[in-house]
Structures are given as C-alpha cells and as structure tokens.
Amino acid sequence: MEYCYSTDAELLTRIKENDHQAFKEIYKRYWKVCFLQLFKKSSSKELAEELTQNIFISLWERRQVVEISNLSAYLMSAVRFSFINYLKNVLQFDQYSAYKKTQGEIGTNSLEEQLAVRELSVSIEKGINLLPRKTREVFVLSRLEYNSVKEIAEKLKISEKAVEYHITQSLKTMRLALKDYMLIITLVLLLVE
C-alpha cells in the first residue's frame, strides 16, 4: 500500500490497528512542523528534538484510546501543551530550589520549626473538635484514615450523599479554623506538585 497517498484519517485508523508503516508516514508528514514550532518557542535544537520525539511517542502509546478528528490541529495542540509543561516543570524546579535554600536557612532553627508544627497541630485538633459528632466521624474517616465515600457510607450506615455533605461541611469548618495557615499550606502544595 502507498501510505503517502493515504489521508490522515486513514493513517489514524491504521495506527489503531498497530500499523507501523502508517505511523512512520504520520511522523514523516508532521515531525518537521512540530520540530520547527518547538524550536521557534525554545530556541534550542536539542529541546525541540526531545519534545518532538515525546509528542510522537505519546501518539503511538495512546493510539488505541485517543480520538483525533484533525491530526494537524491535534499535533499543534500537543506542541503547545508540551512546551507549556516543559516551562511549568522548569518553573517548579526553580521554585523548589528556592524553597529548599530557604528551608536550609530555616532548618538551622529546629525549635522554631517544632513550635510551628505544634501550633498547626493544635489548630487542626481545635478545628476537628468544632465539628458536630457525625461530621467529625466522617472527616476523620475521609481525611485522616483515607477511606472512600462508599467505605464511609458502609461503616456509618448512611448514604453516600450524606457522606459527601458531611465532608463538604467539615472542609468549610476546617478552612475557617486553619485560615491563618492556608497561604503556607497552598505554597507548600504548589511547590510539591
């Protein structure tokens, strides 16, 4: 079969059937466009090559599950997201490095850290104690013991909707109880993600 005369839609159908030649044709048609877009964004030949390869590897690995109606548009979106993810990872690494440097400086004062942790623990305990009995039970089972909504419903013999209600209520109360710590928690979570 002459793959060079096949439409993108035909090639996509064939790669779902594990046709390596069809995939090679897609690669041949689109690698340069992807590479040039990434090179224009990054000004790095090596990075553009790596990200282009990753896009096509992902296409092959996901060929059975991904639904593509317009291959060119799909690949251009993949280029955009690939570069955005790269920038995000670089930014997170920089933030993490800066965070670790400040932690190294703060780490010398372990008494201060211990007091902060103890203070946070006391605030969490106070927040939990503010909860009504049933809401407290649900919160503990959900957030501290990591049970699913279904498991909690079975344990407490209440509906899953009731469990979801209690979780929502407990989170509202805990947000208020921990409002002084929310900025710190958010920053730490952003650095960890």
Side-chain angles (χ1 to χ4, degrees):
M1 171 175 198
E2 294 280 333
Y3 288 94
C4 60
Y5 299 115
S6 298
T7 66
D8 287 350
E10 291 169 337
L11 293 172
L12 288 168
T13 301
R14 291 191 171 282
I15 69 168
K16 284 187 182 238
E17 298 164 355
N18 302 322
D19 188 328
H20 292 275
Q21 290 303 110
F23 180 73
K24 283 181 184 177
E25 180 61 31
I26 289 173
Y27 185 83
K28 194 164 57 170
R29 285 183 192 181
Y30 289 102
W31 79 268
K32 191 172 188 177
V33 174
C34 293
F35 170 80
L36 291 174
Q37 286 295 317
L38 286 162
F39 182 70
K40 190 176 4 173
K41 292 175 186 294
S42 69
S43 302
S44 167
K45 181 180 180 232
E46 293 78 19
L47 178 61
E49 286 173 351
E50 181 183 342
L51 295 178
T52 300
Q53 286 301 107
N54 290 342
I55 289 168
F56 283 97
I57 289 169
S58 175
L59 175 63
W60 177 256
E61 289 174 344
R62 299 181 64 227
R63 68 191 177 279
Q64 301 292 338
V65 293
V66 71
E67 292 299 323
I68 302 170
S69 57
N70 182 330
L71 182 58
S72 179
Y74 172 84
L75 290 171
M76 288 303 100
S77 292
V79 162
R80 216 172 21 261
F81 288 120
S82 176
F83 192 68
I84 288 169
N85 285 336
Y86 166 76
L87 291 176
K88 187 173 143 189
N89 289 335
V90 167
L91 180 63
Q92 284 177 344
F93 180 76
D94 290 346
Q95 287 174 336
Y96 178 74
S97 296
Y99 172 76
K100 289 306 278 180
K101 282 180 187 173
T102 61
Q103 288 305 311
E105 294 163 10
I106 294 171
T108 57
N109 189 354
S110 63
L111 178 61
E112 187 178 312
E113 289 175 9
Q114 289 173 8
L115 288 173
V117 168
R118 190 173 301 136
E119 194 177 313
L120 177 59
S121 296
V122 167
S123 293
I124 291 171
E125 195 172 317
K126 282 181 184 175
I128 290 172
N129 289 333
L130 288 173
L131 301 171
R133 186 187 58 77
K134 186 63 82 177
T135 305
R136 184 180 327 125
E137 284 180 73
V138 171
F139 178 81
V140 168
L141 288 170
S142 171
R143 295 305 193 250
L144 303 180
E145 296 179 11
Y146 307 106
N147 288 285
S148 70
V149 170
K150 187 175 183 175
E151 291 168 334
I152 297 168
E154 289 170 3
K155 283 182 184 179
L156 299 180
K157 297 186 182 3
I158 58 176
S159 72
E160 290 182 22
K161 284 281 187 205
V163 171
E164 290 168 358
Y165 168 80
H166 286 294
I167 290 172
T168 302
Q169 294 307 307
S170 66
L171 292 177
K172 284 179 185 176
T173 302
M174 292 304 289
R175 273 191 209 102
L176 287 173
L178 300 173
K179 69 179 185 278
D180 296 335
Y181 299 95
M182 290 308 287
L183 179 61
I184 295 166
I185 292 168
T186 303
L187 288 173
V188 169
L189 289 175
L190 286 173
L191 291 172
V192 171
E193 284 180 352

